[in-house]
Amino acid sequence: MFGLEKRDATLLLVVIALTMLAPFLLNPFPVDGSLAQFNAGYPDLMQRFVIFGIFAIGFNILFGLTGYLSFGHAAFLGVGSYAGIWMMKLLTMNVIPAIIMATIVGGLFAALVGFISLRRSGIYFSILTLAFAQMSYALAYSVLTPITGGETGLQPQLSDPRLLDGALGAGERPQANLFGLDMGSSSQLVMGDWVFTFNAGYYIAAVMMILAFYVSIRIFRSPFGLMLAAIKTNQNRLNYTGVNTRPYTLAAFIVSGMYAGLAGGLMVAMDTQVGPERMFWTASGEVVLMAILGGVGTLIGPVLGAGLIKYMENIVSKINSNILHEWFAFLPDGLEDALVTILYPFIGKGWHLTLGLVFMLVVIFLPGGLVEGGRRIGILLGRRGKKSDMEKLGSNVQGGQPDAAE
């Protein structure tokens, strides 16, 4: 199916189902309920899930397959965003040219950075990529202000030429669209106390993520992917056998950069305000955390890691002391205040502390990330199932012994 083995095809179908049904799955609680705070089925957050999922999938192709840890991948995300916004300013507000150009420019910039950085390996490679990312951020922030907009960034203006678009009417604003379909257009389905939102921009980004995930599966299972895995296992041994590994690592770096550029282009399609903060080193560190939390070298792990971090960033960060007091209002005042005092540093602006604790627990107890945790749960449930079957078999045998004796 789709040219994939049965196991990979099943995984792809699961990803398709999860992304298409996300408005339902991410809104498990009634809108007016006390737990509605944990609903994540609104368009902006769902778009972030799939866009950063693409970013993490591309990073995993480099880090997960070759073992080369890049600390500067946000540079390709930012370059792709700038390429996308300039397509919207010069050509058309249709998102297709912006996404295509963002992917191409991200790959070209990755070719330049990779050609230089891949002369070294290990920590030296990581530092080189970090240096390139910080230089790119500095250029975008100050030196290249006429191109990047500096600190304030860029967004479509009424005065932009947009050669392929017609003139805007009075009071109209340039809006990102797909052949006339506004990226911000949404429809709602009300079912009792639940409200489900279906956003056009989310589903376009979701389709792109599904395609990106499919391509990553093909890369992982291809001879090229096997060569990258061999490089990660023992690059020196390959070099001793006469294999030139550099073209393979450079190709992986370029593909990874194209994924980042694609994510940057989609970010422009969803939010047409582009600034240099997308290239800052913290954004590069975030994608590293996504890959490690989800499971480095696994197919679906980076997507899960991206979802976890973006969920905590947008949901846990919004919990404040008032919400905590509402949750624990049934407790005596002294105990309520004590619990709020203990939990408050871990929510709101302190959500990074919670993320740090989660990261520590995953690294210590689940080195394979969330994917390994899922596997362990599956094994545990499988053992329990086998145990219950044996117990049933034992009870049947015991029940049959008296009859045999008779």
Side-chain angles (χ1 to χ4, degrees):
M1 186 177 182
F2 306 115
L4 304 176
E5 296 180 357
K6 182 178 179 180
R7 183 177 180 180
D8 293 335
T10 301
L11 180 61
L12 178 62
L13 292 176
V14 169
V15 171
I16 293 173
L18 291 176
T19 52
M20 293 296 106
L21 298 176
F24 297 101
L25 300 176
L26 296 176
N27 272 333
F29 305 112
V31 175
D32 297 328
S34 60
L35 296 179
Q37 169 72 35
F38 296 102
N39 285 340
Y42 52 92
D44 181 68
L45 183 52
M46 292 194 297
Q47 290 167 8
R48 290 178 179 271
F49 284 158
V50 293
I51 291 173
F52 280 90
I54 293 173
F55 189 24
I57 290 171
F59 178 80
N60 189 52
I61 291 175
L62 177 67
F63 182 40
L65 281 179
T66 69
Y68 278 76
L69 176 57
S70 170
F71 285 150
H73 246 55
F76 313 126
L77 181 76
V79 167
S81 294
Y82 280 118
I85 194 64
W86 274 107
M87 282 295 97
M88 290 185 175
K89 292 172 74 68
L90 298 176
L91 202 62
T92 175
M93 290 301 295
N94 191 316
V95 299
I96 297 299
I99 292 173
I100 294 174
M101 184 56 67
T103 306
I104 293 173
V105 172
L108 292 176
F109 189 53
L112 173 62
V113 175
F115 181 78
I116 299 173
S117 301
L118 288 168
R119 295 176 182 273
R120 294 293 181 264
S121 60
I123 189 62
Y124 304 103
F125 166 80
S126 301
I127 295 301
L128 279 173
T129 57
L130 176 61
F132 271 108
Q134 285 304 97
M135 286 190 293
S136 301
Y137 169 76
L139 289 172
Y141 192 84
S142 58
V143 180
L144 299 179
T145 299
I147 300 176
T148 63
E151 182 181 1
T152 57
L154 292 175
Q155 60 182 346
Q157 302 290 340
L158 291 174
S159 57
D160 293 333
R162 279 186 288 277
L163 301 177
L164 299 183
D165 287 353
L168 294 175
E172 289 185 345
R173 297 178 57 189
Q175 298 287 342
N177 63 84
L178 178 66
F179 303 109
L181 177 63
D182 188 353
M183 293 295 96
S185 62
S186 300
S187 60
Q188 291 186 336
L189 173 64
V190 179
M191 299 179 64
D193 294 331
W194 283 264
V195 178
F196 306 105
T197 303
F198 304 91
N199 175 257
Y202 163 73
Y203 277 103
I204 290 170
V207 169
M208 298 303 297
M209 195 209 74
I210 292 170
L211 293 175
F213 185 74
Y214 171 75
V215 172
S216 73
I217 296 176
R218 299 304 298 263
I219 291 175
F220 268 69
R221 304 308 184 209
S222 68
F224 172 67
L226 292 176
M227 178 59 73
L228 297 181
I231 291 172
K232 180 180 180 180
T233 302
N234 198 321
Q235 186 173 359
N236 288 332
R237 183 171 295 177
L238 286 175
N239 291 330
Y240 292 152
T241 60
V243 176
N244 184 7
T245 59
R246 193 175 175 192
Y248 293 96
T249 54
L250 180 58
F253 197 90
I254 293 172
V255 171
S256 186
M258 293 178 70
Y259 269 78
L262 171 61
L266 286 171
M267 289 179 71
V268 173
M270 305 308 140
D271 180 9
T272 53
Q273 173 71 39
V274 179
E277 69 280 352
R278 295 183 183 180
M279 310 173 79
F280 199 55
W281 68 268
T282 53
S284 296
E286 196 174 59
V287 75
V288 176
L289 293 180
M290 291 174 182
I292 295 175
L293 282 175
V296 176
T298 63
L299 289 169
I300 199 173
V303 179
L304 299 177
L308 175 62
I309 289 180
K310 288 303 165 184
Y311 182 86
M312 295 183 68
E313 178 183 348
N314 290 271
I315 301 299
V316 177
S317 65
K318 291 182 179 179
I319 302 175
N320 53 38
S321 58
N322 293 330
I323 294 176
L324 291 179
H325 279 292
E326 290 179 6
W327 289 350
F328 301 116
F330 64 94
L331 297 174
D333 291 342
L335 183 57
E336 176 188 339
D337 293 338
L339 283 176
V340 171
T341 302
I342 293 172
L343 295 177
Y344 182 73
F346 298 91
I347 51 92
K349 294 182 179 180
W351 74 272
H352 288 95
L353 181 57
T354 303
L355 177 61
L357 292 175
V358 172
F359 184 76
M360 289 174 58
L361 292 174
V362 169
V363 170
I364 294 172
F365 299 105
L366 296 173
L370 298 176
V371 172
E372 181 180 344
R375 288 173 181 168
R376 289 186 182 183
I377 293 175
I379 292 173
L380 181 62
L381 294 177
R383 287 178 178 175
R384 287 185 177 180
K386 291 181 180 180
K387 184 176 179 180
S388 62
D389 290 341
M390 293 299 293
E391 289 175 350
K392 290 180 181 179
L393 179 61
S395 63
N396 291 337
V397 171
Q398 291 175 359
Q401 283 177 350
D403 295 334
E406 290 175 0

